[in-house]
Amino acid sequence: MSSQQQARLLMEALAVLHQRGYGLFKLSCYVKDGIGAWRHCIFASEEFPDNIGAWPGPKQGGSLPGWGIFSGNTPKEVADDILEQYPRLAEAARGHDEVYVSWFQQILADYPEGVLEMESPDYARICGVGSIALPVLKAWRKPPPTPEEIAAQRERARLKELDGARQGYKAWEERQRQKAKR
């Protein structure tokens, strides 16, 4: 499955979750320039943050191709997997945001193979199509971070990424050791 198909699958799984009563699930996503990876973060909120990285609420993110936040081959399977893997996030997503959910359902219908890019409540586009209309979403806003806060946030993200790479490498080494023992 291509990364575009995986991205679309996650979008459709969120629509399934919306129908199941998890209507506060939202998706923040964009395509990383240069490498073409679709970065995504699902989160639970009545509002849409200006900066998902600085947002303190429950969230889970990943990148396609590479590290996705779900497994499954159908929207229902992915929805089930999200509920199982992230129970705290799912509990926070119980409720309904009529404006966001209706808009999200409409873009799925209007762009049946489209992949969303939306990092803020102010701008959205469909990959390969261009900008799309947005409803007026409630936005979580705070004063812009100071240069020191930005530097600290970047350092935390860099250290987290390094730690993830180390953990992945250790797991790979262990699998290689296990294969060699066989």
Side-chain angles (χ1 to χ4, degrees):
M1 181 181 305
S2 73
S3 61
Q4 183 169 342
Q5 290 168 322
Q6 288 177 316
R8 180 62 186 206
L9 183 59
L10 177 59
M11 291 171 58
E12 291 174 2
L14 284 183
V16 168
L17 290 167
H18 291 157
Q19 291 170 353
R20 291 182 183 176
Y22 299 92
L24 299 181
F25 265 125
K26 293 183 176 55
L27 177 64
S28 175
C29 50
Y30 65 96
V31 174
K32 177 71 173 159
D33 290 334
I35 60 174
W38 188 69
R39 301 282 169 90
H40 53 283
C41 182
I42 58 172
F43 62 100
S45 176
E46 291 185 16
E47 302 166 335
F48 201 106
D50 289 331
N51 179 347
I52 195 68
W55 189 68
K59 60 188 171 193
Q60 185 63 45
S63 183
L64 297 172
W67 183 64
I69 58 174
F70 60 88
S71 63
N73 295 312
T74 67
K76 181 187 177 312
E77 288 173 359
V78 171
D80 292 342
D81 184 65
I82 289 169
L83 294 177
E84 185 178 318
Q85 283 194 72
Y86 311 109
R88 189 177 137 248
L89 178 60
E91 188 55 37
R94 286 202 173 275
H96 195 67
D97 180 341
E98 182 64 37
V99 173
Y100 182 84
V101 168
S102 295
W103 171 79
F104 197 80
Q105 289 173 342
Q106 191 62 51
I107 64 165
L108 289 174
D110 290 348
Y111 306 98
E113 295 184 16
V115 173
L116 178 67
E117 283 192 282
M118 182 177 178
E119 291 183 84
S120 81
D122 304 317
Y123 179 75
R125 67 184 297 273
I126 298 295
C127 294
V129 174
S131 298
I132 58 173
L134 269 172
V136 177
L137 299 171
K138 288 186 258 179
W140 174 80
R141 302 198 187 268
K142 70 175 196 171
T146 66
E148 294 81 16
E149 290 170 329
I150 292 170
Q153 182 182 12
R154 286 184 178 152
E155 181 62 13
R156 284 191 302 275
R158 186 185 73 78
L159 292 173
K160 184 177 178 181
E161 189 171 326
L162 285 173
D163 186 53
R166 281 187 203 106
Q167 295 299 325
Y169 183 73
K170 285 179 183 179
W172 177 81
E173 280 184 320
E174 182 60 29
R175 286 192 304 272
Q176 296 307 312
R177 274 190 231 120
Q178 294 299 325
K179 287 179 183 178
K181 287 181 182 179
R182 294 182 200 158

